Amino acid sequence: MSYEKNNVRVMLTKEEIAEKVSEMGKKLTAEFAGKEVMLIGVLKGSFIFMADLVRAIDLPIQLDFISAKSYSGTTTTGVVNVKMDTHLQIEGKTVLLVEDILDTGKTLSALRETMYSRGAADVKIVTFLDKPARRLVDIEADYSCYTIENRFVVGYGLDCDEQYRNLDYVGELLL
Ligand code: IMP
Ligand code: MG
């Protein structure tokens, strides 16, 4: 589908997002004070949220990225294909997995297992958006900025066929 900004109905403005992400940063700062926290962003969708979030956290954090695709098909959990892996040592760390959107839950559920299998002390899920209506796997976000209805959204890192990631707002893509 071609890029058509007129088909994007604004749901969250740039200003609303900035306010919410700043609040989330403060919350995480309070909750993880004194811990060795590593934020791992799930590429590509999380890159803008991650960039804003880390600047709102006032702690000595480390950060890394991972790129993964969950296998679609009949099985619901466990298998994830890591396309680009993390570089830092995960053992003993409190890992915050940072996602753009928690949808079916397959990706984060598998990645959380991956992090535990690598020796993470604790793994928490931080997602910008949560779309609970679509969940196929029993997983909940530990921290989410917004819960949304079952709509396809783009912008602020989220794409449709790799387009729209650079919008500084989030909108529903009207087809
Ligand atoms: P899941 O939770 O494993 O189904 O995968 C979540 C991934 O699906 C996200 O990281 C997004 O890349 C993609 N996704 C799910 N819902 C949307 C949406 O509304 N807009 C754009 N991407 C989405
Ligand atoms: Mg995507």
Side-chain angles (χ1 to χ4, degrees):
M1 200 178 55
S2 60
Y3 180 81
E4 185 45 81
K5 252 170 98 169
N6 294 330
N7 290 348
V8 182
R9 186 183 62 85
V10 180
M11 284 170 58
L12 305 166
T13 66
K14 175 181 170 180
E15 291 76 19
E16 285 169 336
I17 294 169
E19 173 83 35
K20 190 66 109 178
V21 174
S22 156
E23 277 170 29
M24 181 58 75
K26 289 193 181 108
K27 186 170 184 175
L28 297 176
T29 301
E31 301 225 354
F32 294 96
K35 298 233 168 77
E36 273 192 56
V37 181
M38 182 185 295
L39 281 83
I40 298 181
V42 184
L43 291 174
K44 295 176 216 172
S46 73
F47 81 111
I48 295 180
F49 178 44
M50 182 77 156
D52 286 343
L53 184 64
V54 292
R55 285 176 289 175
I57 297 177
D58 187 14
L59 292 174
I61 58 147
Q62 292 184 311
L63 73 91
D64 211 335
F65 288 97
I66 195 163
S67 169
K69 273 250 176 314
S70 64
Y71 290 117
S72 48
T74 48
T75 57
T76 48
T77 51
V79 192
V80 74
N81 183 5
V82 174
K83 303 270 190 196
M84 194 208 86
D85 214 336
T86 49
H87 291 84
L88 301 178
Q89 183 75 251
I90 283 156
E91 209 174 321
K93 298 284 166 61
T94 296
V95 170
L96 306 188
L97 280 171
V98 179
E99 249 293 30
D100 54 353
I101 186 164
L102 179 55
D103 189 38
T104 67
K106 288 186 182 185
T107 310
L108 281 175
S109 151
L111 283 179
R112 184 166 63 180
E113 284 314 305
T114 304
M115 295 305 146
Y116 278 125
S117 74
R118 292 175 183 184
D122 196 8
V123 183
K124 299 286 190 220
I125 306 285
V126 184
T127 189
F128 176 60
L129 302 175
D130 186 6
K131 220 197 277 185
R134 293 249 311 161
R135 206 76 91 246
L136 294 175
V137 176
D138 185 19
I139 186 171
E140 276 180 36
D142 296 288
Y143 305 91
S144 89
C145 290
Y146 297 97
T147 300
I148 62 164
E149 313 243 296
N150 189 9
R151 305 256 161 76
F152 195 83
V153 294
V154 294
Y156 199 66
L158 291 130
D159 75 303
C160 178
D161 290 341
E162 297 300 328
Q163 299 282 3
Y164 304 100
R165 292 193 197 273
N166 57 320
L167 299 181
D168 61 7
Y169 52 90
V170 169
E172 178 183 1
L173 187 60
L174 307 168
L175 302 171

